[in-house]
Amino acid sequence: MCTKHHSCRSAKVAFNPSHEASCSNPKIAHIQMEGISEVDSGCCSSDNCSSGTQSSDEESDPIGIKKKGHTHSWKITGMDCPSCAKKIETAVNKVAGVMEAKVLFATEKLVVKLDSKSTADNVEQAIQGAGFRYNSDLSSTKPQPNSGWKALVKQNSSIIAIALSMAIAALLKPISPVFSEWMFTLTCLAGLYPISKKALQLAKSGTPFAIETLMSVAAIGALYLGEAAEAAMVLLLFMIGERLEAFAASRARSGVQSLMELVPETATKIINDERVEVSASELQPGDIIEVSPGARLPADGKLMGQAASFDESALTGESIPVERIENDSVMAGAVVVDKVVRFEITSKQGENAIDRILHLIEEAESRKAPLERFLDKFSRWYTPLMMLVSLVVILVPPLFFAQPWETWVYRGLALLLIACPCALVISTPAAITSGLAAGAKRGALIKGGAALEQLGKIETVAFDKTGTLTMGKPEVTDIITMGHVEGAELLRNIAAIEVGSTHPLAVSLVNKAKSSGIEIPEADDKQALIGLGVRGLVNGVEYQAIAPSKIGFVLSSDVAEDVRKLEQQGKTVVVAIKGDNTVIGLIAWQDTLREDSSDAVRALKNLGVNAIMLTGDNARSAKAISSLIDIDYKAGLLPQDKVTYVESLSSTANVAMVGDGINDAPAMKASSIGIAMGGGTDVALETADAALTHNRLVELASMIELSRATLNNIRQNIALALGLKGIFLVTSLLGITGLWVAVLADSGATAIVTLNALRLLKFKPQT
C-alpha cells in the first residue's frame, strides 16, 4: 500500500499518461476507497513507498467480471436494442460452466467467464441458438460501413420482397379475390417463418416472452380469423419497425464508433533513422514514430523536439488547437496541426487514451440506473401478465356474455401486440447510452446510468484544492533565513530530507535546489511525522520541516509576522527547524489556479449548485485563493477531516466530491458521487464514479446539465411509451383500431422513444 505523509496539505500524485512511479498502480485507488478510513498527511515529504499486493482473484476488470477462471470475448452482430443483449445473456448464462456473462451493447461485445472445465464452443452454440451471429476475432474494432444502394437493398431484401408481394396481391384482388387471398396468406407465412423460428430459438434459450413470440401468436391468430391481408401487414410493419430500431441503435452507438475511428490503423515508425510503415497494433512503449500535419496519433506519446500545436477537439470538444512543448504527453487521436513531429510511445497496446475511454464506456453499461433496473424487473413479469390479460379478453366475453368469438379473439390479439414492452424497456437505456456517449465526446466520462442519474441531483460540489482548483505544480517563491544561516545552506539541508517524495511541494523544492546548482547530501533516518511534517538527519544534525500551525512551541513575533504575510498572499509556508527547536528559516510555495476555476464555480452557481473548497492549507492561504474565484472554503483539513466534513454535508444534501489524487479517494467514497481529475489515467478512472479526463473544470456544470437533460429525456420517453399504449389499448378494446394499428403503435412508439433519446447526442450545455 502506498501512503504519503504531509502536514500542510494532502499528498498528491501527479496524474499523467506517462507516469511510471511505483505508486501509480491503478488498483491502489480502488483499494483505498474500499478499505482506508484515514490517510495520513504531512508537510511535503514521504516515507518509503511500497506497492501493496493483491491477488489476481481480487482484481476487477473494466466491466466487473473478476479475473477468475478464464474469460473469452466475442463480437456480436444483429443486436437491434438492449433487449437483444438481455436475450443473449440469458441464453449464454444457461450454458453449463458459464460463471458470468455480460453483453456490452455499446461496443457489441460479449464477455464470458468460464470455469476450468468449460470450452468456448458451447457458448458459441448458445449464441447461434438464440438467433444471433458472432465473430471471435476482436482485433479489428473499427466499424465496417455499409452504404450505397446495393448494401441498402441487400439489408432490406426481405422487407422489399414482402412489400412487393403484398402490392401485387392487392392489385389482383379486384380481378381474382381467391388468388389474392392465397397470395396474402403465402406472403404472411413466408414472412412469419424466420420470426417464429427465432421465437422458438429464444424460448429454448430462456426467453419465452419475446416480441417475436407475440408477433407469431398474433399473425397466426389473424390467419385463423381469415384476415390474411392484415396478418401480412402486421408482419411488414413489424419488420420495418425492427429495421428502424437497428438504425436507431447504430446511431446510439455512433459516439462509441467515432472514438474507435480516432486511432489510425498504421503508423510511421523510425528504425535506425529510417521510416518504416507498421501497424498501429505493433507499437510498444519506447518506440519512436513520426506524424505529419493533419494525421492523428496512433498511441499516447511524449513529444520529442520543439513545440507543436495539436487539435484535440475530438477528445475534448475544445476547438482551439493547444500548444505542447518537448516531453509533454499527447493522447492518441490528437491531430498534428502545424509541423512534422516525432513521439516516443508511452502506452501499451490496448491501453491508450481512446482504449481507456472505451473500457470505461463498457464498464458503465454494467452500472445501471435505479430506474433502468426497475424497468428490467418490471418487464420480466409485465409481458406474461399481459399475455394472461389478453387471454382473459379472448375468453371472458364469449364464454360469459355470449359475444362472438371472432371479435374478441381479434381484439385480444391486438391487445397482445400493444402490450409489447419494447418501447418502455428501451426508453431508459437508449437515453442513458446517448447521454454517456455525449459526455465522452466532451471528455466527461461517467461510469454508468447510476452515476449519470445521481449527477442531476447534485446540490453541492466540494473541491479539493491542490491539483483540482489549482494546477498542482507549486513553485518555491520565498526562502527566508534566520540568524546566520545562508539561503543555500537552508535549501540544501531541507531538500535532503525531501528527496524521494512525489509530493508536488517536495518535488518543487528539490528541483529548486538542483536548478540553483546545489549538491544535495544524503539524509539519514528520514521520517514522516504523521499530521505534523517531516524530519531527517543530515551529517548527524536533525532538520525538520513543519507547518506553522503544527509547531509545538511559540514562534517569535518577527517569524510569526513573516508567516502571516506569506499566508495572506495565498502561499503555503513551512518552518525549517534545526536541532532542538531552532528556527532557521521559512520556505513558501505558491500554486497557480486553473484558468477555468472561476468559470467553473460561476457555472455551477448559475445551475443553483453550491461550491466549496476543502484544503489542508491554513485559513489565511485558503481565504486568499477562495477570494479569487468566489468560493466558500474549509481550511486546515486532514484527509480524515475531509471525509468527516463530506459525510456531514451528504447527510443533508446530495454532494459531489472532486479530487485528483489517491488520498482524495476516501472523501470521494463518502460523497454521493466522486469525480476525478486525471487526464484520462487509469488511477483517475478507477477511483471515482466519473472523471474529467482533460482536467477542464467547466465540464462539471456540463455534466450536471447533461444528467438533468437525460433524466428529462427518460421521463419523456416513459410518458410517450405508456401514453401511446394507453390510447391504443382503449381503442383496440373498443374495436376502433385493429392489428396493424397495434403493430404501428408498438413499433412507432419504439422508434419515437429511440429517436428522442438520440437528441442527447447533440447535447450542448447552456452555461
Side-chain angles (χ1 to χ4, degrees), residues 39 48 111 179 185 293 320 350 399 433 533 543 552 569 579 646 763:
V39 182
N48 293 331
V111 182
F179 182 79
T185 301
I320 301 175
L399 291 178
T433 299
Y543 288 89
Q569 298 171 33
V646 170
F763 167 79

Side-chain angles (χ1 to χ4, degrees), residues 142 168 280 291 324 335 366 380 458 481 494 597 627 700 761:
K142 303 292 180 67
I168 293 172
V291 187
R324 300 295 183 196
V335 179
S366 65
R380 293 173 190 170
I458 292 301
T481 60
I494 299 302
S597 293
S627 64
L700 275 172
L761 292 175

